[in-house]
Amino acid sequence: GAVVSQHPSWVICKSGTSVKIECRSLDFQATTMFWYRQFPKQSLMLMATSNEGSKATYEQGVEKDKFLINHASLTLSTLTVTSAHPEDSSFYICSAPGRAGNEQFFGPGTRLTVL
Amino acid sequence: AQSVTQPDIHITVSEGASLELRCNYSYGATPYLFWYVQSPGQGLQLLLKYFSGDTLVQGIKGFEAEFKRSQSSFNLRKPSVHWSDAAEYFCAVGARTDKLIFGTGTRLQVFP
């Protein structure tokens, strides 16, 4: 089946530093990937759509200069949280459409804690 | 506007009891509907999905859901809940492989 991995699974960083989160489709190619953010006890909110070979599309209210997305290859998208602050602490989840094109496959998520 | 509403924030049931989690949606095009389950600190697991055809869909772990177009609903059901079903459940709508719009989730608590 289609598997999506994320790395790291959790990260703690100091305020003001940058953190990179990787999302990989392990056994299929994904020209598009999606990045979601989930605050404690809340639902998933789409942050941006990552497009291989072109710029990411950001949802309204998401700062593209703060959340840098790079879709480096057909199996890898990265989300970099720049100059992280405590309010950026959240659970970040990526997803990718599977080969059959009939569902999204989600990564296990990355828990970011900014001190 | 596209949206998903899960009216029940928190549901508590006894083990062995039946369960129904409600989901209503608003979507301009033909909706593709999903139910996901999330255990604490974990990612999402797909329980079932509806694209077309039979409006009653079967999923994993004994779950089923019924699509009712007239009510814009896609309620999740299970005839007998197990303690291991305690988790957060999310209903989502989208266009197949497009971005998904999630409901706010329903937290299920199961008492022995």
Side-chain angles (χ1 to χ4, degrees):
Chain A
V3 178
V4 175
S5 70
Q6 282 185 240
H7 178 80
S9 55
W10 60 270
V11 57
I12 302 172
C13 68
K14 293 182 179 179
S15 186
T17 61
S18 294
V19 174
K20 180 185 285 188
I21 302 170
E22 294 184 346
C23 177
R24 292 181 186 273
S25 56
L26 296 186
D27 51 357
F28 66 103
Q29 295 180 336
T31 56
T32 301
M33 291 183 176
F34 300 96
W35 286 95
Y36 296 83
R37 180 169 53 186
Q38 184 182 31
F39 290 108
K41 300 189 186 299
Q42 295 187 28
S43 188
L44 284 80
M45 298 299 292
L46 180 69
M47 297 176 65
T49 302
S50 173
N51 303 298
E52 192 270 336
S54 64
K55 292 182 179 180
T57 305
Y58 291 82
E59 296 299 302
Q60 191 172 11
V62 177
E63 301 174 60
K64 58 183 178 183
D65 294 331
K66 181 171 184 61
F67 298 99
L68 301 180
I69 291 174
N70 181 27
H71 203 130
S73 72
L74 288 172
T75 59
L76 173 64
S77 174
T78 59
L79 169 67
T80 300
V81 184
T82 62
S83 186
H85 288 93
E87 57 266 30
D88 298 323
S89 298
S90 189
F91 196 50
Y92 293 86
I93 303 175
C94 69
S95 73
R99 273 187 299 259
N102 59 3
E103 71 176 275
Q104 295 279 340
F105 291 91
F106 285 82
T110 297
R111 170 115 13 232
L112 170 63
T113 301
V114 184
L115 302 177
Chain B
Q2 300 171 347
S3 65
V4 176
T5 301
Q6 292 180 247
D8 305 304
I9 297 173
H10 186 195
I11 284 182
T12 301
V13 299
S14 298
E15 190 170 20
S18 63
L19 172 71
E20 182 170 32
L21 303 182
R22 295 182 290 168
C23 173
N24 293 95
Y25 67 89
S26 173
Y27 199 72
T30 301
Y32 293 88
L33 296 155
F34 307 83
W35 273 100
Y36 288 89
V37 61
Q38 185 183 37
S39 297
Q42 302 297 312
L44 299 175
Q45 181 180 22
L46 179 67
L47 286 175
L48 46 78
K49 58 182 183 262
Y50 172 79
F51 294 150
S52 63
D54 192 347
T55 56
L56 183 63
V57 294
Q58 302 297 321
I60 62 172
K61 303 185 178 186
F63 285 94
E64 66 178 27
E66 185 172 13
F67 170 61
K68 292 185 178 180
R69 184 185 299 274
S70 61
Q71 299 177 20
S72 297
S73 69
F74 189 57
N75 294 347
L76 181 71
R77 300 193 294 249
K78 186 169 184 177
S80 178
V81 172
H82 188 262
W83 64 266
S84 61
D85 293 324
E88 189 89 20
Y89 291 80
F90 293 98
C91 180
V93 63
R96 291 188 74 182
T97 58
D98 203 353
K99 58 189 179 184
L100 295 181
I101 300 167
F102 285 84
T104 49
T106 297
R107 181 172 167 239
L108 175 64
Q109 197 167 7
V110 181
F111 281 116

